[in-house]
Amino acid sequence: MQYEVTIGIPVYNSEKYLKETLESALSQTFPSIEYLIMDDCSTDTSMAIVQAYQQTHPRGEHIRIIHQPRNMGIGIARNRIIDEAQGQYLYFLDADDIITPDAISLLHENAIQNNAEMVYASHERIEEFDGNHNTTVFQHAKRNFTQENEFANYAYEEYGRLPAPVWNILFRMEVFRKNQLRFADTNFWEDFTFHMDLPSYVTRVSMLPDITYKYICRSGSLSNFQKRTHIDKQEIEKTIAAVEHVKANSYRIADKPYFPLRMCKVMLTCFFMVCHIIQKQEYIEPKFTNSELHSLLKSPVPLSKTLSFRKCWSKNLLLCLLGILPSSVSLLLVKLIGGMKGLL
């Protein structure tokens, strides 16, 4: 059956929150939706919950479950969703988040009106830690990008300008298939690695101020190190591996005018990670060595090329030097700069 939109939901042991997520997805006002559930070998009742909706919900016939052969991680699960999706457009939804009833309608209408390859909407981040409930709104200004390199320049120009996650974006499936885009094989920051390269593949992009997604962060989440008093070093190492993947893929766009902006964003991410590790070092077991932290600061771009950059010249130079200077000097500078910026 052909659908206009596929909502892809990777699921792994999400029984506690999955009903609310499914209710929000199935309550969409948009008519032509495939609900593609990617079961990453859940060991709880998640699939029983989905199967109950298949049998009893008015849109149950449009729910399709695909089982991974073994637990393979969210990156591989999302790649399988890309391969299996039957919609002309794809929308990722995490199995513990919520979307508004008009989410798909708003995004799809904008995609058609502007012939957009991607449409971003705005979202709320809801933190539920230790009985506290805090909400932060991330809202885009309404705008359309239509010129070559325009969106990439915007995306890379300012650190944190675009959220790293891939949910709450309506993608034209052609973007994935034409460019053979894939997620990294990791459970950590797979969306960051994907989003760092994505702007270089698209031209027509729209952004909406409408809040259509509730991103819910809960206690114990592996992605929220800041709320934990014990952190396994291996978790951070997997995140570092994702960042190193981005660094290794840098030269693919070395001839683009936005290349210096992208490199600045990549290496600032490395700088912030080192600051965060230093700040949380007492909770990390085993500890990171100075050599390991220094390695993260090393840029894939040599100093000679960095000196030729016309954009973000001073920032790129400083970030490049942090990877070249002796580790003791480099980490001292990180602590000084990080302290001045309130990062340490």
Side-chain angles (χ1 to χ4, degrees):
M1 183 173 180
Q2 184 67 57
Y3 293 92
E4 190 65 14
V5 175
T6 293
I7 296 181
I9 309 177
V11 176
Y12 178 69
N13 290 354
S14 304
E15 63 182 4
K16 190 173 180 181
Y17 311 107
L18 186 56
K19 286 184 179 180
E20 195 172 6
T21 299
L22 289 173
E23 287 286 353
S24 74
L26 292 164
S27 298
Q28 292 301 295
T29 58
F30 191 80
S32 180
I33 300 177
E34 171 194 31
Y35 300 91
L36 184 55
I37 311 298
M38 189 58 57
D39 173 32
D40 203 16
C41 289
S42 297
T43 57
D44 64 0
T45 63
S46 293
M47 287 308 106
I49 292 170
V50 178
Q51 288 164 356
Y53 276 94
Q54 273 185 318
Q55 296 166 8
T56 62
H57 197 276
R59 301 179 90 157
E61 65 180 300
H62 304 298
I63 298 174
R64 183 159 59 105
I65 302 173
I66 295 179
H67 303 279
Q68 294 283 67
R70 63 185 185 281
N71 181 257
M72 303 175 75
I74 192 168
I76 299 300
R78 283 186 173 143
N79 287 338
R80 186 84 186 275
I81 287 172
I82 292 170
D83 293 338
E84 297 281 352
Q86 296 177 355
Q88 297 297 309
Y89 293 86
L90 175 60
Y91 181 92
F92 288 111
L93 171 62
D94 281 359
D96 55 355
D97 293 336
I98 301 167
I99 55 176
T100 61
D102 61 349
I104 300 302
S105 291
L106 283 168
L107 290 160
H108 184 266
E109 180 183 5
N110 193 274
I112 298 301
Q113 285 179 349
N114 296 289
N115 190 26
E117 299 163 281
M118 292 168 49
V119 183
Y120 289 78
S122 302
H123 72 275
E124 290 179 336
R125 175 188 171 101
I126 301 171
E127 294 186 351
E128 297 179 353
F129 297 125
D130 304 322
N132 297 316
H133 185 98
N134 298 308
T135 299
T136 306
V137 175
F138 293 84
Q139 194 163 25
H140 300 296
K142 183 176 178 61
R143 64 181 301 171
N144 295 309
F145 300 90
T146 60
Q147 303 300 314
E148 185 179 3
N149 300 328
E150 183 185 11
F151 177 66
N153 273 305
Y154 173 85
Y156 297 134
E157 188 174 28
E158 183 179 317
Y159 193 88
R161 173 167 274 176
L162 287 180
V166 296
W167 38 251
N168 208 28
I169 306 167
L170 190 67
F171 298 91
R172 189 187 296 169
M173 281 303 305
E174 179 183 291
V175 172
F176 295 101
R177 291 167 179 156
K178 180 177 68 175
N179 301 296
Q180 298 182 323
L181 295 184
R182 313 297 284 176
F183 287 88
D185 181 5
T186 176
N187 280 339
F188 294 82
W189 279 31
E190 81 295 332
D191 43 9
F192 167 81
T193 63
F194 184 84
H195 227 129
M196 283 301 298
D197 288 333
L198 183 62
S200 66
Y201 290 106
V202 293
T203 298
R204 301 190 65 88
V205 178
S206 294
M207 308 185 79
L208 301 176
D210 307 79
I211 296 170
T212 57
Y213 197 102
K214 293 183 179 181
Y215 167 47
I216 305 173
C217 304
R218 299 177 174 91
S219 297
S221 170
L222 295 181
S223 62
N224 288 283
F225 296 127
Q226 70 273 17
K227 299 296 180 180
R228 298 159 64 194
T229 56
H230 176 78
I231 304 169
D232 191 324
K233 182 180 179 180
Q234 287 187 342
E235 294 177 26
I236 302 177
E237 287 176 330
K238 290 177 181 178
T239 304
I240 291 173
V243 176
E244 293 294 344
H245 174 83
V246 171
K247 287 163 68 173
N249 198 33
S250 296
Y251 267 94
R252 179 184 60 82
I253 56 170
D255 61 333
K256 299 293 186 180
Y258 51 78
F259 180 62
L261 298 174
R262 181 187 185 277
M263 285 313 308
C264 186
K265 191 169 184 177
V266 170
M267 296 314 300
L268 272 174
T269 299
C270 296
F271 173 83
F272 292 143
M273 286 186 68
V274 171
C275 286
H276 192 67
I277 292 170
I278 292 172
Q279 184 187 48
K280 295 293 182 181
Q281 187 78 295
E282 64 179 304
Y283 303 124
I284 301 170
E285 291 293 340
K287 308 299 182 188
F288 279 88
T289 66
N290 285 352
S291 176
E292 288 173 317
L293 295 179
H294 189 233
S295 177
L296 181 55
L297 293 168
K298 292 181 179 178
S299 173
V301 180
L303 179 60
S304 57
K305 184 167 182 64
T306 301
L307 289 170
S308 70
F309 286 166
R310 294 185 179 182
K311 297 178 179 178
C312 294
W313 186 86
S314 58
K315 283 185 180 179
N316 272 310
L317 178 59
L318 174 60
L319 292 165
C320 184
L321 288 174
L322 288 176
I324 295 173
L325 293 169
S327 61
S328 58
V329 177
S330 175
L331 293 176
L332 177 60
L333 285 172
V334 169
K335 291 176 183 178
L336 288 171
I337 298 168
M340 291 171 58
K341 298 291 185 181
L343 301 172
L344 293 170

